[in-house]
Amino acid sequence: MARPSAERKILHADCDCFYAAVEMRDNPALAERPLAIGGSPERRGVIATCNYPARAYGIHSAMPTARALRLCPQLVLLPGDFAKYREVSQQIQTIFHELTPLVEPLSLDEAYLDVTGVERFSGSATWMARWLKAECLARTGITLSVGAAPSKFLAKIASDWEKPDGLTVIAPERVEAFLRDLPVKKLHGVGPATGARLEALGITTCEELRELPLARLLEEFGKFGRRLFELARGIDERPVKVERERKSISVETTFARDLPDLASCREALAPLCERLEERLARYGRPPLAGLVVKVRFDDFSLTTLESRGLAPGLDAYARLLEQAWERGRRPVRLLGVGARLLPEAERRQLALRL
C-alpha cells in the first residue's frame, strides 16, 4: 500500500474567525466582547461566525441568532459587510500567490497551497508557514492558523490543531505517530452520522479503524469505505486545484414568517426565479444540466428535487415546487431555486458536435 509522498508539501491556511476578526481589527473595542456576525433574529437569521469570547458561551457558526442571544444576552451582533470581507480576502490571497501559484481557495478565509517546488526559505514548509502568518498579520491585521503536511487532509487537520494563531507541522516521519491516536471524527467526510456508525462498531481512533479490513469497510460504508481505509493510513493524493469548476448556481430565502401552504409558496417563487435569472446572466448564461428546488419545512426537515431536461422558467420551477411540497405538506420556512451547470467536459463535447 502506498504511503503519502515525502516530497509533497501542502499548507492549509485558515483565517481565525475571519468576519469577526475584520470587525475587531476595525474596532479594537470589540476584541474582548462576545461578537458575532449574523442575521437578525426577527428574520430567523443565523450566525456566520463569532469570536472566541462568544464561543466560550457555546455559540458557533450556523446557530440560529435567536438561540445565540439566549446563550449570551450581551452578544454584540453585527450584519456582515461582505464587500469589506472580500477586499481583505483578496489581500490575503495576494500574499498566498507571492509564495506559490498553486493556490486552491476554499472560501474567503481559507485555502490550500502546494509549496512542494518552492525554493525560498530553503524549501522549509515550516518557514513558509511562519512567513505567511507574519505577512498576513502585518499587511491585513488578520491572524492565520496554518497546517503543513504531506497531504491536503492532514494539512487541514493540522491548521485546526492549535487555533487560534496556530502553526502545526506534520512532517512525513511523524504521520504514522500522528494518525495512531487521531479520532476518526477528524477525518475528512466523517460527519455525525458516520461517526456514530463507526462508534457503534467500537471504532473511535484511526488505529482502531485500521483493524477493519477493506472488504468490511466497503460492506458497511459503500464507496466511502475505501476512502476511510486510505485516510486511516494517511493516504490522500488529491492535488491542489488552482481552478475550481463551478457546478451550480442558486438562490434561496428564509422567510420571516412561515409560508402556510402551497399557494403562498408559489407566490414567493417568482422573485426567486428573477434573482436566479440575474445570477445566470452574470455568469454568461452557461449551459445547464438540470433545475433544482429546495424546500425546508417548519420542522427543519429539508427536501430537494432535481429534474434534467427542463428549460429554466417559472412554470418549470412551479412544477418541481409542487412535487417537493407534497413530500412534507406543511408550512415552509425556506425556499431555494437553482440550476446545475453542464460539466466543462460535456460543454466541450457539445461544442464539437455543433
Side-chain angles (χ1 to χ4, degrees):
M1 180 66 68
R3 287 291 185 267
S5 170
E7 300 301 319
R8 292 182 80 204
K9 298 176 184 178
I10 308 297
L11 303 182
H12 180 261
D14 190 7
C15 301
D16 299 322
C17 55
F18 180 54
Y19 304 156
V22 175
E23 299 297 347
M24 290 187 294
R25 178 200 68 178
D26 294 346
N27 183 359
L30 297 172
E32 302 301 322
R33 300 178 64 185
L35 168 68
I37 312 302
S40 162
E42 290 79 14
R43 291 186 159 275
R44 294 182 171 179
V46 297
I47 301 300
T49 193
C50 61
N51 65 1
Y52 285 89
R55 295 181 192 192
Y57 288 86
I59 298 170
H60 56 77
S61 61
M63 174 181 285
T65 302
R67 182 168 178 232
L69 289 169
R70 287 196 297 271
L71 290 173
C72 179
Q74 67 270 36
L75 180 70
V76 178
L77 180 67
L78 296 178
D81 185 345
F82 288 93
K84 178 167 66 175
Y85 305 152
R86 280 192 290 270
E87 182 180 348
V88 178
S89 174
Q90 186 57 55
Q91 294 169 356
I92 294 170
Q93 293 288 331
T94 297
I95 298 170
F96 293 166
H97 281 86
E98 288 178 15
L99 184 61
T100 174
L102 301 178
V103 178
E104 179 182 344
L106 301 177
S107 61
L108 289 180
D109 61 339
E110 64 175 320
Y112 287 114
L113 296 81
D114 188 332
V115 296
T116 305
V118 176
E119 297 180 354
R120 294 173 62 189
F121 308 103
S122 301
S124 168
T126 303
W127 291 359
M128 295 179 210
R130 288 174 176 160
W131 179 83
L132 283 179
K133 288 168 60 65
E135 289 298 306
C136 185
L137 183 61
R139 297 194 213 176
T140 71
I142 302 299
T143 60
L144 281 182
S145 288
V146 182
S151 65
K152 290 171 78 171
F153 102 93
L154 283 172
K156 187 170 176 64
I157 290 172
S159 71
D160 194 49
W161 206 251
E162 297 179 289
K163 270 184 168 286
D165 198 18
L167 171 56
T168 299
V169 178
I170 306 174
E173 62 272 15
R174 285 190 56 217
V175 169
E176 285 290 323
F178 182 86
L179 284 171
R180 194 172 298 123
D181 298 321
L182 183 71
V184 289
K185 66 181 181 181
K186 293 282 190 180
L187 296 180
H188 181 261
V190 176
T194 303
R197 289 176 63 190
L198 286 167
E199 189 171 353
L201 294 171
I203 296 170
T204 58
T205 67
C206 286
E207 186 173 31
E208 294 167 342
L209 181 57
R210 290 184 187 188
E211 296 175 6
L212 276 190
L214 176 59
R216 179 71 189 282
L217 287 169
L218 291 172
E219 178 185 335
E220 291 283 345
F221 301 99
K223 289 189 297 183
F224 188 60
R226 184 176 297 279
R227 185 71 176 146
L228 288 171
F229 182 87
E230 293 175 346
L231 293 182
R233 291 159 176 78
I235 300 168
D236 178 22
E237 297 298 334
R238 291 176 302 155
V240 169
K241 296 181 179 179
V242 177
E243 295 183 3
R244 295 173 63 85
E245 183 178 352
R246 176 175 283 275
K247 296 181 179 180
S248 64
I249 296 175
S250 62
V251 297
E252 63 183 42
T253 295
T254 299
F255 301 100
R257 293 183 179 178
D258 294 335
L259 304 179
D261 51 31
L262 180 57
S264 56
C265 290
R266 288 197 190 101
E267 290 180 9
L269 196 60
L272 280 171
C273 289
E274 290 176 5
R275 286 170 51 198
L276 178 63
E277 173 63 22
E278 291 172 359
R279 293 204 66 192
L280 289 170
R282 287 204 301 272
Y283 282 93
R285 302 188 187 282
L288 305 182
L291 309 183
V292 183
V293 164
K294 174 181 175 181
V295 179
R296 188 181 295 279
F297 296 101
D298 65 341
D299 62 353
F300 285 88
S301 62
L302 175 67
T303 188
T304 59
L305 191 64
E306 182 170 351
S307 179
R308 299 179 68 91
L310 292 178
L314 184 57
D315 290 343
Y317 281 111
R319 291 200 297 273
L320 290 176
L321 171 63
E322 183 172 351
Q323 296 174 57
W325 186 83
E326 286 291 338
R327 294 176 175 179
R329 297 183 64 85
R330 56 187 303 126
V332 169
R333 60 179 282 118
L334 176 148
L335 277 182
V337 295
R340 301 284 184 202
L341 305 187
L342 199 66
E344 188 63 39
E346 293 186 32
R347 295 187 209 178
R348 288 196 293 269
Q349 291 174 3
L350 181 62
L352 288 174
R353 288 198 296 269
L354 295 175

